[in-house]
Amino acid sequence: MLNMFCCLKGCLNGFTLTPTVPMRVKENPVQLDTLHMGHEVVVVKGGQRVCGSGCVLGNAPLVQNKAYFEVKLQQGGVWAVGLATRETDLQRVHGGVDKESWCLNSDGTVRHANEELYHLKPAPRESPTADLLVSTSPSHSDNEKPESEKDDNISTAVMPVEGDIIGIAYDHIDLNFFLNGKNMEIPVRNVRGTVYPALYVDDGAILDIILDNFLYPPPSGYEKIMVEQSLL
């Protein structure tokens, strides 16, 4: 109970309800879906912020050719971001551990069906806007690399930290993750089914989903998630 109170306090930080003032209707109908979330998940700020424990999906699938959204890591903890179908287990706090989710996790793994597709190495950065990559080009041949660096799934991308913006872009071929506007070069392929934005939290993590007015320009040709009827 104490943990849940702390979670709610963090979630509601800077957010107050004023009963005498009518709440402004959001222009964008896409938000986090309180009908598709774990039992211990808390969604506030008009469906934009999540904390607690478990997974919450967006209320609109990614049906357009090229869709993009962002997630701000408001507070650290255990978290994951990516895509999932409505058949995924919403009680889980890690993404990509079943066949219905494809996610970047706070432990540095990118997973699907509990298979580790990539593993990111943490690296010190002076600020959230520092360079994304540890190295943009190899300094020696693959044969000269230490054995620990020869694994195909070891990525040079830096793990996000508090305050960072994670961009998620999906074109029905590749799922790509961006960190503060830079491609992390960890594409996920063979995403199948009707997928939704998926945010996982636990251990005090707080995530904000950004569905329009992005903090970083989407990749060329990508747009915010649109509801199906607007695509007809």
Side-chain angles (χ1 to χ4, degrees):
M1 181 64 70
L2 180 59
N3 288 339
M4 183 58 70
F5 174 77
C6 293
C7 162
L8 282 169
K9 183 178 179 182
C11 268
L12 294 170
N13 183 33
F15 177 68
T16 59
L17 291 175
T18 307
T20 57
V21 178
M23 185 172 289
R24 181 173 62 88
V25 178
K26 286 175 59 64
E27 294 181 3
N28 188 350
V30 184
Q31 58 185 31
L32 297 176
D33 191 351
T34 55
L35 297 178
H36 293 90
M37 67 181 191
H39 300 315
E40 297 184 16
V41 173
V42 178
V43 173
V44 295
K45 293 192 70 175
Q48 299 174 75
R49 174 171 292 180
V50 58
C51 64
S53 180
C55 173
V56 59
L57 302 180
N59 67 349
L62 279 66
V63 293
Q64 69 213 70
N65 290 335
K66 295 183 177 182
Y68 176 82
F69 65 97
E70 294 177 337
V71 177
K72 181 176 183 180
L73 181 53
Q74 193 71 31
Q75 181 171 296
V78 174
W79 56 265
V81 298
L83 302 178
T85 72
R86 282 186 171 172
E87 283 68 51
T88 194
D89 186 351
L90 300 174
Q91 312 312 321
R92 294 184 181 272
V93 299
H94 302 286
V97 296
D98 59 19
K99 293 182 179 180
E100 305 296 330
S101 56
W102 300 257
C103 295
L104 165 64
N105 287 268
S106 58
D107 63 0
T109 62
V110 177
R111 290 183 173 272
H112 167 61
N114 210 27
E115 178 184 352
E116 185 177 302
L117 306 178
Y118 301 96
H119 195 104
L120 282 62
K121 290 185 176 180
R125 292 183 294 156
E126 295 180 358
S127 70
T129 57
D131 288 343
L132 167 64
L133 299 179
V134 177
S135 174
T136 56
S137 60
S139 58
H140 38 58
S141 69
D142 187 69
N143 291 332
E144 295 174 333
K145 292 181 180 179
E147 289 298 322
S148 61
E149 294 183 9
K150 290 184 180 181
D151 294 335
D152 291 337
N153 67 341
I154 297 296
S155 171
T156 56
V158 176
M159 271 301 298
V161 296
E162 282 189 15
D164 279 343
I165 304 297
I166 305 168
I168 295 94
Y170 179 56
D171 63 359
H172 298 269
I173 299 174
D174 290 345
L175 163 64
N176 280 287
F177 295 93
F178 293 75
L179 180 54
N180 300 321
K182 295 183 179 181
N183 196 330
M184 299 178 76
E185 305 295 345
I186 47 174
V188 178
R189 299 181 172 88
N190 298 318
V191 177
R192 300 183 183 277
T194 302
V195 293
Y196 298 75
L199 278 62
Y200 299 73
V201 288
D202 193 34
D203 195 28
I206 300 175
L207 301 177
D208 286 359
I209 192 167
I210 304 170
L211 294 158
D212 51 18
N213 300 317
F214 300 121
L215 298 178
Y216 293 91
S220 178
Y222 286 77
E223 298 180 286
K224 67 181 182 181
I225 300 170
M226 295 182 285
V227 292
E228 287 190 82
Q229 50 264 39
S230 67
L231 294 172
L232 299 178

